[in-house]
Amino acid sequence: MTGTAGGAASGPDVAARAVPLVRVVRGGLVESVHAGHLVVLGPDGAVRLALGDPDVVLWARSSLKPLQAVAMLRAGLDLDGPGLALACASHSGEPEHLAGVRAVLAAAGLDESALQNTPALPYGSEAALAWQVAGNGPTSLTQNCSGKHAAMLATCVARGWSTADHLAVDHPLQQAIRTELGHLTGVPVAHATVDGCGAPLFSTTLVGLARAFGRIGAAPGRAPGSAEARVALAMRGHPALVGGTGRDVTRAMTAAPGLVAKDGADGVYAAGLPDGGALALKVMDGGDRPRAALLVAALAVAGVASDALDAVGQTPVLGHGRPVGAVVPVLGPHAAREPAGERAGGAA
């Protein structure tokens, strides 16, 4: 594996073959463009649509969590339902999220003092405000990855592995995760670094990420009882735990029963369908603005569309507090639609 702690790039450039994915329209004019990469796979794993480079090497960030959870189950983690959904989550830090993380730790004979992830305020703005009004500051419990870290600790306890150094890249837990990522994606891990939460982060490719989500999404039907199926059922059964109130990942899984979706920092999204179809995307500027619209447009290419999903993908461009444009993907039926809002607004 290669990696770097900072400074100059030491691997392939993710921007090299990026293409426009989304146009931001204001008052009838294209104001800005988000470039990146996107791939949609059919139920057989064949590429149905590719924009940019489907083989681009990337850090999938928190979109890797369902894959990491599969690896932990294979390593001996005994978790299902809400606790497993939280292992896959970038949660908003709402009370039910925090209670669930504490429950995972307690079942392993631990408490929140065992967590080693980077302290942070709750990810959700309302949850963060409530937390601070109560006189609290950043903690590892309230950081959005605490469910994953609690599951990592529980896996170590189940296997008799040390917990003090479980975030080391050469720890048996992390090596088990690395091996499983290669299996699920079909892409050997070539690079390693540290994620924002403090856990090791392993590279993959965009198409590899989509391939893994297709396997997870189809597992309840194709491989019932498998680790992949357990992850899919946990996420589908508890979408509010995977994200939180108002989060597009929660809204998308609620709007499309059977969908397994996971957002990731720096412009990543991946999703798997019950028939094995899947998608993954990477927005080059790392911003959140285009991700929901792209997710919904890519799902339409995969054959999944509804009014409820359309609502998830609508990201209005506001002028003086009212819609004057929209975020418009370059693919699928959304690309042909007239941007919402006023077209006569002119310059702002």
Side-chain angles (χ1 to χ4, degrees), residues 65-89 100-101 103-110 146-161 173 176-177 225-228 230-231 234:
K65 285 174 178 171
L67 286 65
Q68 292 168 312
V70 169
M72 287 187 270
L73 291 173
R74 291 203 196 284
L77 177 65
D78 183 15
L79 202 60
D80 285 288
L84 186 54
L86 283 166
C88 303
V101 174
V104 171
L105 290 167
L110 303 170
S146 62
K148 176 184 76 175
H149 284 258
M152 286 182 170
L153 288 165
T155 305
C156 290
V157 170
R159 284 297 299 267
W161 292 332
L173 169 68
I177 289 173
S226 65
E228 293 94 331
R230 290 167 65 185
V231 166

Side-chain angles (χ1 to χ4, degrees), residues 324-336:
V324 295
V327 174
V328 184
V330 303
L331 69 154
H334 295 260

Side-chain angles (χ1 to χ4, degrees), residues 40-280:
V40 179
L41 304 182
D44 60 354
V47 175
R48 179 173 287 181
L49 173 71
L51 299 175
D53 181 7
D55 294 309
V56 64
V57 178
L58 77 162
W59 304 119
R61 303 299 296 274
S62 282
S63 292
L64 278 184
K65 285 174 178 171
L67 286 65
Q68 292 168 312
V70 169
M72 287 187 270
L73 291 173
R74 291 203 196 284
L77 177 65
D78 183 15
L79 202 60
D80 285 288
L84 186 54
L86 283 166
C88 303
S90 298
H91 64 71
S92 291
E94 297 167 20
E96 65 176 331
H97 300 133
L98 307 187
V101 174
R102 289 188 177 110
V104 171
L105 290 167
L110 303 170
D111 61 29
E112 59 195 84
S113 67
L115 292 169
Q116 298 177 31
N117 51 306
T118 309
L121 293 170
Y123 186 76
S125 57
E126 292 186 9
L129 178 60
W131 185 254
Q132 292 175 92
V133 167
N136 302 304
T139 70
S140 292
L141 176 68
T142 51
Q143 197 264 347
N144 72 87
C145 301
S146 62
K148 176 184 76 175
H149 284 258
M152 286 182 170
L153 288 165
T155 305
C156 290
V157 170
R159 284 297 299 267
W161 292 332
S162 61
T163 57
D165 62 342
H166 75 283
L167 295 183
V169 71
D170 58 353
H171 188 280
L173 169 68
Q174 304 303 337
Q175 288 302 297
I177 289 173
R178 177 194 174 192
T179 298
E180 187 60 33
L181 293 184
H183 171 69
L184 287 169
T185 63
V187 180
V189 171
H191 307 271
T193 188
V194 180
D195 210 338
C197 63
L201 177 63
F202 301 109
S203 68
T204 187
T205 65
L206 195 70
V207 72
L209 182 65
R211 189 180 297 124
F213 269 77
R215 291 185 62 168
I216 293 170
R222 295 180 182 177
S226 65
E228 293 94 331
R230 290 167 65 185
V231 166
L233 292 174
M235 294 177 70
R236 290 170 180 167
H238 305 277
L241 296 182
V242 177
T245 303
R247 296 274 298 280
D248 53 70
V249 67
T250 294
R251 295 173 62 209
M253 285 194 288
T254 302
L259 179 68
V260 173
K262 185 67 191 73
D263 47 352
D266 275 274
V268 181
Y269 230 132
L273 300 169
D275 65 1
L279 65 94

